[in-house]
Amino acid sequence: MASLALTLKEQLKAERQAAIAAFNEHRKPEKLLAGLRQDVDAALIRAWNTIGLPSSAALVAVGGYGRGELYPHSDVDVLILLDSAPDPALREKLEELVQLFWDIGLEIGHSIRTIDECMTESEADITVQTSLLEARLVTGNRKLFHFLQDRFNAAMNPQAFFQAKTLELRQRHVKYEDTPYSLEPNCKESPGGLRDLQVILWVAKAAGLGDSWRKLAERGLITQTEARQLTQKERAFKDIRIRLHIHTGRREDRLVFDVQTPIAETFGFQTTETRRASEYLMQHYYWAAKAVTQLNTILLQNIEAQLFPQSADPQPLNERFNAVNSLIDIARDDTFEATPSAMLEVFLLLAQHSELHGMTARTLRALWHARFRIDSEFRRDPANRALFLKILQAPKGITHALRGMNQTSILGRYLPNFRRIIGQMQHDLFHVYTVDQHILMVVRNVRRFTMTEHAHEYPFCSQLMANFAQPWLLYIAALFHDIAKGRGGDHSQLGMADARKFCREHDLSKEDTELVVFLVEHHLSMSQVAQKQDLSDPDVIRNFAGTVKDERHLTALYLLTVADIRGTSPKVWNAWKGKLLEDLYRMTLRVLGGEDPSTEHELRNRQDAALKTLRLYGLPENAHERLWKQLDVAYFLRHDAADIAWQTRSLYNKTDSATPVVKCRLAPIGEGVQVAVYIKDQPDLFARICSYFDRKNFSILDAKIHTTRNGYALDTFLVTEPAFANSYRDIISLIEHELTELLQTCAELPSPTVGRLSRLSRTFPITPTVDLRPDERGQYYLLSVSANDRNGLLYSIANVLARYRVNLHTAKIMTLGERVEDVFLVDGPLLNNARSQIQLERDLLDALRI
């Protein structure tokens, strides 16, 4: 038996290698899948015959293997069908058979059942029912297999099967972010992938409507053209999946960043000056997934209509459209040909009629095939331009309408520059969507600010939007803010020109046009100021106020900025970024309102507000005096009133403490822990504190470093970690105890840990940069650092600064997905020496590269 297993294993390995080599020549997916299946069939039959099972048993292929398709590294799913429960002797033979299957090198998924057991399992589990739907006899008792098929077909309830599979489809789509446009899609499971095509054929076969695209076309469920398109898309996805298996040497269905370029090169795509080879591949993938999604919607509706016929009288909406069973339907098959503007009108009607949940299959198909009628003449028509604006100005359904327009390719046809970025990748390590999907996500986020049901998400944004006239101008800005990505050059400037052209063509007023153009040009400005500049500097606020000029521009830019950051990735936004933006908004608004932005005025405001809070604590009137006498203006400008009050209360009667004082609290922003450290100053204090946070795997979101007049350090940190949410009190007690103990020791600084880069960062490495330059006043130096994120990175930087005796005043820690952009305000004697500066920068670069 061992020699047979070895012979079959070597034979299968050689046959697989030969089949793959042939595929690399002929590039015919179906031929490879069928060839691999035939090779495995032959090996299983020989193993079956060798074991000598009774003639009453049958070996049945199920699942994908039953369908006759076997990918290079897919599981081989089989059913050993028996006419009755096995006795001990037969059970032993079956165990020997399954072991032989494994010994010949197959990833076997097996079950041993009688017909009754098959039926029981099928009724209880839709997955088993689906696998039996594709059952195929490999060898053994043909009559027994036919009995199983007869029982299975008789028990099949097409309506229940359809409902179960469509529910399963929706759940799977949610698992995969409900979009085909993930930057690392699963070509089998993601929306618009192979599994969606298989679902259609499963429900069609269960309903007796056919088991191929050709047969579905013959039944009138799709057109011959659509059948050819589906065949082509299915073949393309099979081709990609085969190449993934071959390239990775395992069962891998995800187009992760690591493999996109090598897979693209097997298709002949080459990297150019402006685009990677992987970008060409992925754009083709997204276009195919988009077509599959559209055609699947049509097919599912048509099959559902066959299984669940409904009789309903059409309710006229106008002379071109009717409402049928909560769906919009064209009044005539040639509606879009006769009236091309109806291609926009249908989306306006959907936005205006909330009772309508979508389009009928007939309407979708007609719209899909008529989209090519949107040309330059169509776009110049004033009526069509007015219709498009009405969609954006509709009180409801705007996001749904724009997504529908994108899915049916109407949006890209109407806005040609938008069509250029459909399916375009973004390799900046924090966007998780293609450019077109990010844009639509930003439109959705802006739109949500207008909806009361979402007011709890961002109350301040909702409050501002409630008083903002013409919010549809923000939707236009959102549509154009990234529309020029991938063209080369500054996408803000290029997009600004596109936005101006759109506004003029659509007869927007000069004032409205100026606002939209301003937002597109400056859509990155507010986040850059908030995250990279010192908001305690009155000149920073004054300069930003000069950029926005008035409250309307400021409010519009703030709303767009929040929506934009939220639309990049769920990992990028956090409450700290939200606070920085809101602080910048409020401070700028005060300057625009005529308030004195001077240091003296701001100092008085913060001190007065802090004193009002301190009175609530029941402290003596003069409780603040001992500490405040030791603090300079910079401290008060860098902390808000609530933080000043909290730290003053925490240090009451501890101003001259001989031991470290460590106080923690839940951050007022509702996320993370705020840590205040008060201790006699020492050169390596920042590095020592960072070493503790590094050891605990805490992420530092913000740091403010201050030295008092009496030689104490008063440093505050905002730290976070996913587990905090479950045990804030325990975490606070732990930090206060452990950090106090650490600061009382005089041990040497530990060596920085070298955290591993994430897979994404390894695939798209960032060249580390260090920029050290004096600030505008020549008082301090600004140290800017950019690199791939990893555990221990901040401590590595702090360790270098400690070696050079660099004093740290503030640290802005910005993590954008996998990218870190930190800005430090520093000074120190060595920084006045050019040679020392150069060596410091070199050592920092070395630390970033580790």
Side-chain angles (χ1 to χ4, degrees):
M1 193 66 69
S3 62
L4 174 63
L6 182 60
T7 299
L8 288 177
K9 185 174 184 177
E10 293 299 323
Q11 181 180 336
L12 272 176
K13 183 178 179 181
E15 289 171 342
R16 176 186 291 169
Q17 290 174 344
I20 289 173
F23 170 78
N24 290 332
E25 294 295 327
H26 61 65
R27 298 300 190 188
K28 296 178 180 178
E30 294 82 4
K31 187 174 181 179
L32 174 65
L33 299 179
L36 292 175
R37 184 263 299 169
Q38 290 165 1
D39 295 339
V40 171
D41 279 359
L44 293 184
I45 291 170
R46 187 171 176 188
W48 179 275
N49 292 335
T50 300
I51 295 298
L53 292 174
S55 59
S56 59
L59 180 64
V60 179
V62 293
Y65 178 47
R67 190 165 57 248
E69 298 175 351
L70 194 60
Y71 289 82
H73 294 282
S74 285
D75 291 346
V76 177
D77 295 325
V78 296
L79 163 66
I80 300 173
L81 187 61
L82 306 176
D83 63 344
S84 60
D87 58 24
L90 178 55
R91 189 174 296 280
E92 185 175 340
K93 280 181 174 287
L94 292 171
E95 291 174 358
E96 189 178 358
L97 175 68
V98 172
Q99 185 59 53
L100 180 56
F101 287 166
W102 280 100
D103 290 344
I104 64 179
L106 297 177
E107 295 285 335
I108 286 288
H110 77 282
S111 57
I112 302 172
R113 297 186 182 121
T114 64
I115 290 179
D116 286 342
E117 288 171 339
C118 285
M119 298 309 300
T120 300
E121 291 295 324
S122 175
E123 291 172 3
D125 189 340
I126 188 65
T127 303
V128 174
Q129 190 176 20
T130 305
S131 67
L132 288 175
L133 184 67
E134 299 186 300
R136 174 179 59 84
L137 180 67
V138 177
T139 189
N141 194 306
R142 186 173 299 277
K143 187 175 181 180
L144 183 67
F145 174 66
H146 286 158
F147 281 153
L148 171 63
Q149 284 190 309
D150 292 341
R151 287 274 304 274
F152 180 81
N153 292 334
M156 172 60 74
N157 181 331
Q159 289 84 1
F161 185 79
F162 178 89
Q163 290 175 328
K165 295 309 291 185
T166 51
L167 176 61
E168 189 179 71
L169 179 144
R170 285 195 293 271
Q171 291 172 336
R172 175 170 51 82
H173 283 190
V174 170
K175 178 182 177 182
Y176 287 92
E177 300 177 339
D178 219 11
T179 177
Y181 305 102
S182 167
L183 295 189
E184 295 184 301
N186 185 307
C187 68
K188 179 184 176 185
E189 302 287 349
S190 289
L194 274 171
R195 184 66 83 203
D196 279 10
L197 295 172
Q198 290 165 358
V199 168
I200 293 293
L201 293 178
W202 286 333
V203 297
K205 184 176 182 180
L209 299 173
D211 57 1
S212 69
W213 308 119
R214 178 180 58 81
K215 291 180 180 178
L216 292 180
E218 291 172 355
R219 295 292 297 261
L221 293 166
I222 51 177
T223 66
Q224 292 292 343
T225 299
E226 290 165 348
R228 284 194 298 272
Q229 286 181 317
L230 286 167
T231 301
Q232 291 168 357
K233 306 310 179 190
E234 183 179 35
R235 188 178 189 275
F237 287 132
K238 288 178 178 177
D239 198 354
I240 289 174
R241 191 181 181 207
I242 288 170
R243 295 178 197 229
L244 277 169
H245 281 216
I246 293 172
H247 175 75
T248 60
R250 64 180 186 274
R251 185 180 61 191
E252 177 60 81
D253 300 326
R254 298 171 303 150
L255 272 164
V256 294
F257 288 128
D258 313 52
V259 303
Q260 287 175 7
T261 295
I263 295 297
E265 290 171 349
T266 67
F267 280 97
F269 295 115
Q270 298 295 324
T271 296
T272 65
E273 290 184 2
T274 58
R275 300 183 73 184
R276 302 168 186 255
S278 59
E279 293 183 58
Y280 291 104
L281 168 70
M282 296 310 298
Q283 193 152 35
H284 279 73
Y285 172 90
Y286 295 128
W287 279 99
K290 181 179 179 181
V292 167
T293 303
Q294 181 67 16
L295 292 170
N296 262 18
T297 303
I298 293 171
L299 259 172
L300 280 175
Q301 277 197 26
N302 285 340
I303 294 173
E304 185 175 20
Q306 294 272 343
L307 294 174
F308 304 93
Q310 297 184 48
S311 57
D313 294 330
Q315 302 296 316
L317 296 172
N318 59 31
E319 61 184 17
R320 288 168 295 283
F321 296 100
N322 299 319
V324 178
N325 295 323
S326 298
L327 299 173
I328 193 167
D329 188 41
I330 48 179
R332 294 169 42 185
D333 289 338
D334 66 347
T335 293
F336 297 124
E337 283 73 19
T339 313
S341 62
M343 285 186 281
L344 294 177
E345 182 186 17
V346 66
F347 292 101
L348 178 59
L349 289 171
L350 282 173
Q352 292 173 338
H353 294 268
S354 57
E355 73 278 8
L356 298 176
H357 306 310
M359 303 182 200
T360 62
R362 183 171 78 131
T363 305
L364 280 170
R365 174 179 289 128
L367 187 62
W368 176 255
H369 292 294
R371 67 189 188 279
F372 299 106
R373 290 180 170 271
I374 300 180
D375 53 17
S376 57
E377 183 180 351
F378 181 100
R379 291 187 285 270
R380 285 195 299 268
D381 189 329
N384 293 332
R385 292 175 174 177
L387 275 172
F388 188 77
L389 282 186
K390 283 182 180 179
I391 293 171
L392 296 177
Q393 295 166 350
K396 294 182 179 179
I398 298 167
T399 302
H400 184 69
L402 289 175
R403 284 180 172 168
M405 291 174 74
N406 188 42
Q407 183 58 49
T408 53
S409 295
I410 300 300
L411 186 57
R413 291 282 168 183
Y414 187 76
L415 298 176
N417 285 339
F418 188 89
R419 189 168 188 265
R420 294 173 63 179
I421 48 90
I422 290 175
Q424 182 172 310
M425 302 283 286
Q426 301 192 80
H427 295 310
D428 52 19
L429 298 182
F430 57 93
H431 282 88
V432 297
Y433 305 108
T434 55
V435 180
D436 58 315
Q437 292 305 301
H438 163 68
I439 285 175
L440 294 180
M441 188 69 73
V442 175
V443 174
R444 184 208 72 162
N445 292 343
V446 175
R447 174 69 184 144
R448 283 190 170 190
F449 297 152
T450 70
M451 304 166 71
T452 55
E453 58 266 38
H454 294 287
H456 65 284
E457 296 175 354
Y458 308 102
F460 186 55
C461 291
S462 297
Q463 174 189 337
L464 293 177
M465 185 64 94
N467 297 310
F468 191 87
Q470 297 174 292
W472 55 272
L473 294 173
L474 299 184
Y475 310 152
I476 297 175
L479 274 175
F480 282 90
H481 82 285
D482 276 354
I483 204 169
K485 278 195 170 180
R487 294 191 213 165
D490 186 339
H491 76 277
S492 297
Q493 293 296 318
L494 296 172
M496 178 180 70
D498 288 353
R500 179 179 285 110
K501 182 173 182 288
F502 173 90
C503 292
R504 288 175 176 171
E505 290 176 344
H506 290 74
D507 293 328
L508 269 69
S509 69
K510 182 178 179 181
E511 181 183 357
D512 291 344
T513 298
E514 189 276 329
L515 176 61
V516 171
V517 171
F518 165 84
L519 292 175
V520 175
E521 180 184 11
H522 292 283
H523 72 272
L524 298 174
S525 298
M526 192 167 193
S527 61
Q528 289 174 345
V529 172
Q531 297 175 20
K532 296 184 179 182
Q533 297 190 36
D534 184 4
L535 301 188
S536 66
D537 185 344
D539 287 341
V540 169
I541 307 303
R542 190 181 290 109
N543 291 339
F544 183 67
T547 299
V548 297
K549 293 184 174 60
D550 59 43
E551 181 178 349
R552 181 167 174 77
H553 284 69
L554 171 65
T555 300
L557 185 58
Y558 171 74
L559 293 171
L560 180 61
T561 302
V562 174
D564 189 16
I565 297 176
R566 286 290 300 174
T568 56
S569 163
K571 297 179 181 179
V572 170
W573 179 264
N574 57 42
W576 176 240
K577 287 187 177 72
K579 183 180 187 302
L580 287 175
L581 289 171
E582 186 173 336
D583 286 349
L584 176 57
Y585 176 88
R586 292 183 184 279
M587 287 188 283
T588 306
L589 185 63
R590 290 201 296 269
V591 172
L592 292 173
E595 187 172 307
D596 181 7
S598 66
T599 298
E600 295 77 9
H601 183 81
E602 187 63 31
L603 177 65
R604 282 196 308 273
N605 285 345
R606 296 196 185 192
Q607 289 180 338
D608 290 346
L611 288 173
K612 288 179 182 178
T613 303
L614 279 173
R615 294 188 192 105
L616 300 177
Y617 295 147
L619 298 178
E621 284 289 326
N622 63 347
H624 63 287
E625 291 180 356
R626 290 184 63 186
L627 176 64
W628 286 19
K629 285 178 182 178
Q630 308 302 328
L631 301 174
D632 59 21
V633 173
Y635 168 85
F636 291 101
L637 294 181
R638 289 177 186 150
H639 296 78
D640 61 29
D643 289 344
I644 295 168
W646 171 62
Q647 292 171 30
T648 303
R649 180 191 180 196
S650 299
L651 296 175
Y652 177 56
N653 284 336
K654 298 176 183 177
T655 312
D656 300 316
S657 175
T659 58
V661 178
V662 178
K663 292 293 182 180
C664 303
R665 67 171 179 173
L666 174 64
I669 59 176
E671 181 181 299
V673 169
Q674 205 168 15
V675 182
V677 176
Y678 187 75
I679 185 176
K680 272 286 186 182
D681 198 16
Q682 48 191 272
D684 60 358
L685 179 61
F686 179 72
R688 195 170 296 280
I689 295 171
C690 285
S691 73
Y692 170 75
F693 293 141
D694 177 37
R695 180 162 52 88
K696 305 299 289 188
N697 287 322
F698 294 166
S699 296
I700 302 176
L701 299 182
D702 182 60
K704 294 185 176 73
I705 315 301
H706 191 78
T707 304
T708 66
R709 292 191 176 98
N710 60 340
Y712 278 75
L714 176 50
D715 301 344
T716 57
F717 299 82
L718 177 62
V719 298
T720 187
E721 203 272 334
F724 281 6
N726 301 322
S727 53
Y728 269 116
R729 290 186 178 181
D730 293 341
I731 292 293
I732 286 172
S733 298
L734 182 71
I735 294 174
E736 290 181 343
H737 172 70
E738 290 185 344
L739 188 51
T740 300
E741 283 196 340
L742 174 68
L743 295 176
Q744 286 177 314
T745 67
C746 297
E748 290 187 9
L749 287 172
S751 298
T753 58
V754 182
R756 291 184 60 192
L757 291 176
S758 70
R759 176 181 55 80
L760 192 58
S761 292
R762 291 196 303 272
T763 305
F764 301 111
I766 295 172
T767 301
T769 61
V770 173
D771 182 54
L772 180 65
R773 64 182 62 195
D775 66 2
E776 292 181 357
R777 298 173 182 172
Q779 185 178 1
Y780 299 104
Y781 284 85
L782 284 174
L783 173 63
S784 301
V785 172
S786 178
N788 284 102
D789 192 22
R790 59 174 169 82
N791 288 339
L793 180 65
L794 183 60
Y795 175 52
S796 297
I797 296 170
N799 192 273
V800 174
L801 297 180
R803 293 206 312 266
Y804 280 82
R805 295 294 188 263
V806 171
N807 302 314
L808 184 65
H809 294 271
T810 62
K812 283 208 168 184
I813 316 300
M814 283 297 147
T815 304
L816 305 171
E818 303 288 331
R819 182 187 184 98
V820 165
E821 295 182 357
D822 298 343
V823 180
F824 307 91
L825 189 68
V826 297
D827 67 7
L830 287 177
L831 297 182
N832 297 322
N833 182 292
R835 184 173 297 177
S836 297
Q837 278 192 25
I838 293 172
Q839 190 57 49
L840 170 63
E841 291 178 330
R842 287 177 178 172
D843 287 355
L844 284 170
L845 283 173
D846 289 342
L848 297 176
R849 291 192 185 104
I850 293 176

